Amino acid sequence: MRLGTAAAVAATTVIGAGAAAVAVGRYAGDAVLKPSPDHPFPGDSRLTVHSVTDGRVTLTRSLASLRPGTYGLTGGGCHAVVGPVVHHTPHPADTVVRRLERVTHGTLAPGLRMRLTPQVHIGNPRDALGLHCADVDILGELGALPAWFVPGVRETWVITVHGLGTTREHPMVVLPFLRRRQLPVLDLAYRNDVGAPPTADRVQHLGDTEWRDLDAAIRYAIRYGARDVVLHGWSTGATMALRAAANSALRGRIRGLVLDSPVLDRHATVRALAAARRVPRALLPLAVRAAEGHTGLPVDRPADAFDPAALTVPTLLFHGPDDTLAPWAASRAFAARRPELITFHPVPHAPHAAMWNADPARYEEAMRRFLTPLM
């Protein structure tokens, strides 16, 4: 049932307007935070494939299809990887030509309706990237958490953790870079992910409870040979990394944090998710309240997800002004509070959690400079 229909039905029931508003708000709040890579993000648009030629794909012209960098292209049972916009190629004015790197699943054909995603790779590191990896289970408080372990010779491990709208396939974009530096990597799936234990409510808590699964991954790494760890998180995964750095019993083993598009203003993020998932405007305040209250998010501190005063380790922070899901103003303010620990890299023309995608070479060079003294 569409949210607008649900609102109308609830408003006409005998439970009364006040109770109906609460019920619909709770329904909307749950819908907003249900984890799913298929749900749209703010600014997401469906792009029609107009033509496919050798090494080129022509897409509907939009702000999304004009983004610089490398992205996954997904929809209609197909997944492909597209590179930068190709200029000086004849094409209709309402289209954009991008470099077609490869088709990884299905058939890319004219007429398909697809969208760009920061999740470039699908499958596992072995099949997608040719990297040796092991499937491991990490004991979390809710049960076994699946993870990929990519070995390396160094004693500092990197633990990667994805965020909203993606899966543990998303962090594979940095695995070749980390492998070249011989850093062992643990790529984690956490509660409510496919293959991981579900929670009773089956909704995202924006890192407030999920960080405990990351804590379990830190314990696993230390148990199996890591001297210390670097946490690399995207979106709510970045928020999880911050919480683990402040609250984990093993926080003394955390050498540094890499944060990509951290969710630091929950009010703004929940409102943006609700709007993207077509919650009626009149219900937005109720949806935000329900998402923050019904799921257990502290309503007495709705905006600030983390106190920068609690930060104790070097932190590399990537974020950009075109993120419409996690406003970068919160990241700028966060970095300004701890300039002695936080290196802030602004990334223009990148949507949420796509700072690597916009300029992989610049992203990886910043990581190289940051990680070298920590290894």
Side-chain angles (χ1 to χ4, degrees):
M1 182 181 293
R2 293 177 60 87
L3 286 170
T5 305
V9 171
T12 59
T13 62
V14 294
I15 61 176
V22 171
V24 174
R26 178 166 295 185
Y27 173 84
D30 282 357
V32 164
L33 294 180
K34 290 287 186 183
S36 172
D38 298 324
H39 282 164
F41 276 173
D44 268 3
S45 59
R46 293 288 174 177
L47 308 171
T48 299
V49 176
H50 291 267
S51 68
V52 181
T53 59
D54 186 27
R56 301 284 188 271
V57 59
T58 303
L59 303 168
T60 305
R61 187 180 185 88
S62 71
L63 291 176
S65 61
L66 285 166
R67 292 170 185 158
T70 300
Y71 287 87
L73 183 66
T74 185
C78 178
H79 183 277
V81 180
V82 296
V85 173
V86 178
H87 300 286
H88 311 301
T89 297
H91 59 89
D94 59 348
T95 65
V96 172
V97 179
R98 297 189 73 110
R99 192 168 70 212
L100 177 62
E101 304 287 357
R102 60 190 176 276
V103 177
T104 49
H105 178 75
T107 301
L108 187 63
L112 282 182
R113 297 278 288 168
M114 308 182 79
R115 64 182 179 87
L116 294 179
T117 170
Q119 191 159 302
V120 172
H121 304 292
I122 59 173
N124 59 56
R126 184 185 309 105
D127 297 335
L129 299 167
L131 298 177
H132 176 66
C133 71
D135 293 291
V136 301
D137 286 328
I138 297 168
L139 182 60
E141 65 177 4
L142 300 181
L145 304 165
W148 291 314
F149 174 64
V150 179
V153 300
R154 300 190 184 275
E155 294 180 315
T156 297
W157 289 25
V158 178
I159 303 178
T160 57
V161 57
H162 72 89
L164 293 168
T166 60
T167 71
R168 61 175 163 150
E169 294 166 307
H170 181 202
M172 284 200 288
V173 293
V174 298
L175 291 191
F177 165 83
L178 296 172
R179 180 69 184 86
R180 291 194 296 271
R181 275 135 195 91
Q182 289 295 304
L183 287 160
V185 182
L186 200 58
D187 186 6
L188 178 70
Y190 53 89
R191 60 189 66 191
N192 292 317
D193 280 347
V194 174
T199 58
D201 57 15
R202 297 177 182 267
V203 299
Q204 285 269 355
H205 288 218
L206 302 183
D208 266 34
T209 58
E210 291 89 350
W211 77 267
R212 295 197 288 270
D213 293 343
L214 179 54
D215 186 42
I218 298 170
R219 293 198 306 272
Y220 179 96
I222 300 301
R223 183 180 304 118
Y224 286 97
R227 179 191 62 208
D228 46 42
V229 299
V230 172
L231 307 181
H232 188 159
W234 288 254
S235 179
T236 50
T239 314
M240 291 164 60
L242 285 166
R243 293 215 174 285
N247 300 320
S248 172
L250 291 171
R251 57 187 176 274
R253 299 290 195 102
I254 299 173
R255 289 274 285 159
L257 306 177
V258 180
L259 311 177
D260 187 315
S261 314
V263 171
L264 298 175
D265 184 336
R266 287 175 298 204
H267 258 326
T269 295
V270 171
R271 286 185 67 89
L273 283 171
R277 295 175 184 177
R278 295 182 174 84
V279 174
R281 183 178 296 274
L283 293 178
L284 282 178
L286 291 171
V288 171
R289 186 71 176 181
E292 292 176 342
H294 177 57
T295 63
L297 296 176
V299 294
D300 59 336
R301 50 181 180 89
D304 295 329
F306 186 81
D307 183 356
L311 192 65
T312 61
V313 296
T315 300
L316 177 62
L317 198 165
F318 296 97
H319 212 161
D322 297 302
D323 188 337
T324 55
L325 184 60
W328 87 311
S331 287
R332 285 189 301 163
F334 182 79
R337 291 275 301 275
R338 301 300 304 275
E340 77 283 8
L341 283 179
I342 301 174
T343 302
F344 183 45
H345 276 262
V347 182
H349 312 302
H352 183 65
M355 305 302 120
W356 178 92
N357 304 79
D359 192 339
R362 183 171 179 266
Y363 190 101
E364 292 179 3
E365 175 59 17
M367 284 182 60
R368 185 193 66 80
R369 292 174 178 270
F370 176 75
L371 291 173
T372 297
L374 303 182
M375 294 189 296

